[in-house]
Amino acid sequence: MTHAVEIIDLHKSFGPLEVLRGIDAEVSTGEVVCVIGPSGSGKSTLLRCVNVLEQPTSGRVIVGGVELTDPDVNIDAARRRIGMVFQGFNLFANLTVLDNLTIAQRKVLRRSRGAAEKVARENLDKVGLGEKIHAHPSQLSGGQQQRVAIARALSMDPQLMLFDEPTSALDPELVGDVLGVMRQLADEGMTMLVVTHEMQFAREVADRVLFMDGGVVVEAGPPSEVIGRPTQERTRTFLARVLDPVHRDPTG
Amino acid sequence: MAETVQQSVQPSGGPPDRPKRRLSRRQRARVIRGVQYGVLVLVVVVIALNTNWPRIRAAFFDLDVARRMFPEVITIALKNTVVYTALGFAFGLGLALVLALMRLSSVGPYRWFARGYIEFFRGLPALLVFVAVGSGVPLAFPGTILNRYVALMLALGIVSAAYMAEVIRAGIQAVPRGQVEAARSLGMSPVKTMIWIVIPQAFRIVLPPLTNDLVLLTKDSSLALFLGSSINQQELTQFGRQALNQARSLTPVLVAGLCYLIITIPLSILSNRLERKYGRGVGAQG
């Protein structure tokens, strides 16, 4: 297996605040890696460094053999192959669902309108929203918007999908639809890097889980180990809080 | 307040050491409203009695004078006002967009120039700019005779661009960051992101203030007066003034004024409608 993503000694600071303190990680082609950890641990920053929406302070990010941290790299060309799904959906508010899916295909990949619409329809059907093709983002529920956002990313035929807490902004009853689409993607062999709080999803879908805290990867491995039998105290504390939030913190 | 409520609950059983009767809240509201209406009626009556109505009518509402202004006030004056405004707005809007982008540029000199331009032309009376374009350009570039329409377009555009640039800049900055991130994550370059995602949304955001600028521009078009004109080139204000010289009545001023409203009120209605149509999509994500 080749590495789809390689992260080498990645550091990121916002002013005096050091958010990432030396991350080493890799994602193999076809692998689903979930990043879990308490808020403020740097999970989202790590993800945003992978497509360089956030410029790392130091360290290297290599995606599909291309070093994205090289200042001379064609970052737009590299991002075409990296789909990203945001916590806040970020659908283009001025465009219909169809145009949201076709605009980058047409303006970036230079596909014809017909070809772009064909791809868009296929991906909308895939996320179960074929009938919403002419709707406006504001007319959709959060779960529908997020599925459109996934379809938008897929329309660029990405080799890697990044998910930044894709269900955190959703009402609980809408989470399942989005996770269902993501599970389907994983089953189809998409390489995925997912920042999430959904432990059930991580446990069932992920090939590997990274537990982050304080800007470092504390523990990494298959979900059965990291979530099932964590070896680190910090991991245990976090999981106890997340999986059993009603109970008292055992350490406190 | 609480005291008043208490009083209104037991108005008759008030303590004897407070002889002054306090009004309940409702009573007081009624009295206040009554007084306000009373003042209004009084003022109207006084004005009505002290005004020489036939004289006012002759001064402002002389139908014969008004009738003589038609159809030229529409076919020439109103038309010219609309044409001048449209020319100035088109040029001004284009220039404003360029200035707004310069204002946001990462290149210092662009930012400084835009900043200077905006401060300069926002601070000058529009009249000065008209004079400068009308008289200064032929002086500075001998032999250049600006077409009247071009001169108008320049003068109106130069001034309005200074105002609109700031509005557009604010609109561009008001587009949520997530929209830009989404576009960039799809591989769109900064330029494509600006053209296809940011600017269209920015214009929806600034539609109401931009309409405001257009209304101001409509009125500023009256400064065309200072570029000189033949009869066929007169716009509303000039036309009204000329008619005023011929009639012994202010009616032409009133007619010209109403004609401005014919332009500006539909603009406001259109803007409200567009705002309602587009407004729901922008800025209200999630």
Side-chain angles (χ1 to χ4, degrees):
Chain A
M1 286 225 276
T2 53
H3 288 319
V5 181
E6 247 182 295
I7 298 165
I8 302 159
D9 194 29
L10 192 71
H11 289 258
K12 173 68 185 175
S13 301
F14 293 104
L17 184 67
E18 203 177 5
V19 179
L20 298 180
R21 301 191 292 177
I23 304 276
D24 290 282
E26 68 285 323
V27 181
S28 302
T29 304
E31 199 181 26
V32 177
V33 174
C34 283
V35 184
I36 61 173
S39 59
S41 58
K43 316 181 292 288
S44 288
T45 306
L46 172 65
L47 196 76
R48 292 163 59 83
C49 281
V50 172
N51 67 351
V52 204
L53 275 184
E54 224 59 87
Q55 184 72 46
T57 310
S58 69
R60 303 207 299 159
V61 174
I62 301 163
V63 176
V66 180
E67 183 180 340
L68 303 190
T69 36
D70 177 354
D72 290 324
V73 78
N74 181 348
I75 191 66
D76 296 329
R79 282 183 183 143
R80 277 173 220 167
R81 302 190 303 268
I82 308 173
M84 179 140 184
V85 176
F86 299 86
Q87 183 177 349
F89 327 134
N90 295 355
L91 292 181
F92 301 131
N94 57 327
L95 303 176
T96 63
V97 166
L98 180 64
D99 290 338
N100 260 280
L101 268 65
T102 56
I103 187 155
Q105 292 188 63
R106 294 176 57 206
K107 304 301 173 194
V108 177
L109 301 180
R110 304 260 166 225
R111 285 180 184 155
S112 70
R113 180 185 283 273
E117 287 186 3
K118 186 165 171 289
V119 173
R121 281 173 201 282
E122 284 168 12
N123 283 309
L124 274 181
D125 287 337
K126 188 172 188 171
V127 300
L129 288 171
E131 81 281 11
K132 296 288 185 189
I133 194 158
H134 296 299
H136 232 256
S138 56
Q139 297 164 333
L140 302 178
S141 73
Q144 290 171 332
Q145 289 193 47
Q146 194 59 297
R147 284 186 283 155
V148 170
I150 294 173
R152 175 175 69 178
L154 291 177
S155 296
M156 301 295 283
D157 301 326
Q159 292 161 2
L160 165 70
M161 285 286 284
L162 308 174
F163 292 85
D164 186 5
E165 301 195 26
T167 58
S168 296
L170 298 179
D171 290 336
E173 79 271 20
L174 302 175
V175 168
D177 292 340
V178 172
L179 290 182
V181 168
M182 290 168 63
R183 180 188 289 260
Q184 183 192 343
L185 265 184
D187 291 343
E188 290 168 8
M190 176 63 76
T191 309
M192 293 163 59
L193 186 55
V194 185
V195 171
T196 186
H197 290 293
E198 301 292 335
M199 291 306 139
Q200 191 68 21
F201 178 83
R203 203 194 294 248
E204 291 174 13
V205 181
D207 298 304
R208 279 191 307 124
V209 172
L210 304 183
F211 171 72
M212 279 181 70
D213 192 13
V216 295
V217 175
V218 175
E219 195 163 354
S224 57
E225 287 175 19
V226 177
I227 300 177
R229 291 187 305 276
T231 59
Q232 301 292 317
E233 187 53 42
R234 279 195 275 179
T235 319
R236 278 200 284 269
T237 309
F238 170 74
L239 287 171
R241 283 185 185 151
V242 172
L243 296 176
D244 200 5
V246 182
H247 277 209
R248 278 275 189 81
D249 187 337
T251 58
Chain B
M1 185 80 87
E3 203 185 3
T4 321
V5 172
Q6 221 176 3
Q7 284 292 322
S8 67
V9 172
Q10 28 173 277
S12 53
D17 55 338
R18 273 203 225 162
K20 203 170 153 197
R21 198 168 150 261
R22 317 266 315 253
L23 296 174
S24 75
R25 230 184 331 171
R26 193 195 329 203
Q27 285 168 328
R28 187 158 40 177
R30 209 177 288 153
V31 167
I32 290 172
R33 206 176 314 132
V35 169
Q36 293 187 60
Y37 274 111
V39 170
L40 178 68
V41 168
L42 193 69
V43 169
V44 167
V45 166
V46 167
I47 290 177
L49 289 181
N50 286 290
T51 309
N52 185 343
W53 287 109
R55 191 123 170 223
I56 292 284
R57 223 186 118 206
F60 285 103
F61 308 102
D62 190 327
L63 286 180
D64 281 337
V65 172
R67 216 170 284 134
R68 253 176 281 140
M69 293 174 72
F70 286 89
E72 285 82 5
V73 69
I74 302 292
T75 57
I76 295 177
L78 182 64
K79 186 205 80 181
N80 278 335
T81 291
V82 170
V83 168
Y84 298 164
T85 305
L87 282 173
F89 188 69
F91 178 63
L93 193 62
L95 186 58
L97 182 57
V98 172
L99 285 168
L101 292 174
M102 286 171 82
R103 211 49 180 82
L104 297 169
S105 166
S106 56
V107 180
Y110 282 164
R111 285 200 307 273
W112 306 329
F113 174 81
R115 191 76 194 274
Y117 180 99
I118 290 165
E119 291 300 337
F120 186 75
F121 284 105
R122 214 163 46 166
L124 287 187
L127 176 55
L128 279 189
V129 177
F130 273 78
V131 171
V133 170
S135 326
V137 170
L139 282 177
F141 309 96
T144 328
I145 297 169
L146 282 183
N147 175 302
R148 190 182 144 78
Y149 285 107
V150 174
L152 263 167
M153 188 169 89
L154 284 179
L156 282 174
I158 284 171
V159 176
S160 61
Y163 290 94
M164 292 194 286
E166 281 297 88
V167 169
I168 294 173
R169 176 192 58 80
I172 287 174
Q173 289 181 321
V175 174
R177 215 168 93 91
Q179 298 283 309
V180 175
E181 288 185 348
R184 297 305 308 279
S185 78
L186 289 165
M188 290 172 90
S189 67
V191 172
K192 281 177 181 158
T193 302
M194 188 55 89
I195 292 174
W196 297 105
I197 304 299
V198 176
I199 289 177
Q201 293 192 38
F203 269 101
R204 287 172 192 205
I205 294 171
V206 300
L207 209 55
L210 219 48
T211 313
N212 201 30
D213 283 332
L214 181 53
V215 168
L216 290 175
L217 188 65
T218 308
K219 297 186 290 180
D220 273 352
S221 69
S222 62
L223 294 170
L225 178 63
F226 291 93
L227 291 174
S229 59
S230 65
I231 297 215
N232 281 333
Q233 293 169 333
Q234 286 178 344
E235 42 63 58
L236 280 169
T237 298
Q238 207 176 352
F239 187 87
R241 266 178 53 131
Q242 182 157 327
L244 184 63
N245 289 340
Q246 292 161 358
R248 309 186 93 187
S249 161
L250 277 170
T251 309
V253 172
L254 190 78
V255 172
L258 289 176
C259 284
Y260 277 107
L261 297 185
I262 293 177
I263 303 173
T264 55
I265 290 176
L267 272 181
S268 303
I269 294 171
L270 181 71
S271 158
N272 283 340
R273 233 179 244 165
L274 290 175
E275 197 184 341
R276 228 173 303 142
K277 184 175 166 206
Y278 292 136
R280 51 169 190 212
V282 178
Q285 283 242 339

